[in-house]
Amino acid sequence: MDQALALESALVDHEARFEQLFGLHHSSIHAYLCRLVGDQKQAEDLTQDVFVKAYRALPRLPQEANARAWLYRIATNTALDWLRRRALVSWLPLFDRDHHPAVQATFVDRSLESVAVQQALKRLPPRYRVPLVLYACQGLSTQEIAEILHISRGAVKTRLFRSREKFRRIYMPEEVT
C-alpha cells in the first residue's frame, strides 16, 4: 500500500508542477514560437507540442533546474525541427518596441518597415536568429540563452554581437561600407 500511495503522491506533485509551469510560461512560449515561425495557428500547434513534451519529460527535470530555460530549449528545438521540415523561415518584426515615442510613423511607413525587418531576419542564419529573438523579443538573459542553446555565456554574447552586425548589414546595406 505504501508504494501505491507514494506513486499517487508523485503523480499529484508532477501534475501540480506541470500546471504551475504551464500557467507561468504558456503565453511567453507561444509568443516566442509566433516570432520564430511567423504563423499564429502553427505557433499554437507547436506550443501544444512543447507542453506535451515538457509534461512527459518533467519527471526527469531536477527540482533545482531552471525550468524557464528548459521550456525555451524544448520550444527552440521544436520550432527548428518544424522549420527544417518545412524549409520555411518567416519572422515577425523584431524592433517594434525600439521606436522613439516622439517619432510617430504612419501606418504605411510602419508596414513597410515591418516587411523590411522580416526580409532582413529571413536572411540571417538560424544560429544568429534564435539568440537574437530570445534576447530582443523574449527578454531572456544571456545566461538563460546559454542554457537553452547549450553553449557558453560568452558564445551567446558573441552570437548576439554577430547577429546584430549581420542584421545591420542586411537591413541597411547602404550605410555599412
Side-chain angles (χ1 to χ4, degrees):
M1 277 304 220
D2 291 334
Q3 202 173 26
L5 286 174
L7 185 59
E8 186 177 324
S9 176
L11 182 60
V12 169
D13 289 346
H14 175 258
E15 289 182 7
R17 188 173 180 202
F18 177 76
E19 285 179 24
Q20 181 183 25
L21 287 174
F22 185 86
L24 287 172
H25 302 291
H26 179 269
S27 61
S28 61
I29 294 293
H30 181 260
Y32 172 61
L33 291 169
C34 281
R35 286 184 176 96
L36 287 181
V37 301
D39 181 301
Q40 179 83 14
K41 184 88 168 131
Q42 187 60 47
E44 289 172 11
D45 291 344
L46 292 174
T47 301
Q48 183 176 356
D49 291 347
V50 166
F51 282 98
V52 167
K53 290 174 184 178
Y55 182 81
R56 290 179 181 153
L58 191 57
R60 295 186 304 272
L61 181 68
Q63 286 288 341
E64 66 279 356
N66 183 340
R68 179 181 175 194
W70 177 71
L71 283 171
Y72 274 96
R73 179 70 187 164
I74 294 170
T76 299
N77 288 340
T78 302
L80 290 176
D81 288 346
W82 182 82
L83 290 170
R84 276 187 217 106
R85 283 191 309 269
R86 300 300 186 271
L88 169 71
V89 181
S90 178
W91 296 89
L92 297 178
L94 181 63
F95 298 112
D96 284 348
R97 66 183 170 93
D98 292 344
H99 294 295
H100 191 280
V103 177
Q104 294 294 325
T106 67
F107 175 76
V108 172
D109 290 341
R110 280 184 274 161
S111 295
L112 291 174
E113 182 177 348
S114 174
V115 169
V117 168
Q118 287 177 21
Q119 292 301 317
L121 283 172
K122 199 181 253 191
R123 294 177 55 197
L124 281 176
R127 75 180 274 125
Y128 296 121
R129 282 184 228 154
V130 170
L132 188 60
V133 170
L134 286 170
Y135 186 79
C137 296
Q138 297 306 116
L140 271 66
S141 70
T142 55
Q143 182 60 43
E144 288 175 311
I145 296 169
E147 291 174 27
I148 291 166
L149 300 179
H150 295 278
I151 58 177
S152 71
R153 192 168 175 220
V156 170
K157 290 179 179 182
T158 299
R159 285 190 191 179
L160 285 171
F161 175 79
R162 290 178 181 165
S163 65
R164 288 182 191 118
E165 289 300 309
K166 289 178 182 298
F167 180 84
R168 281 188 198 107
R169 275 188 250 125
I170 293 167
Y171 187 69
M172 299 177 283
E174 67 280 351
E175 294 183 18
V176 179
T177 53

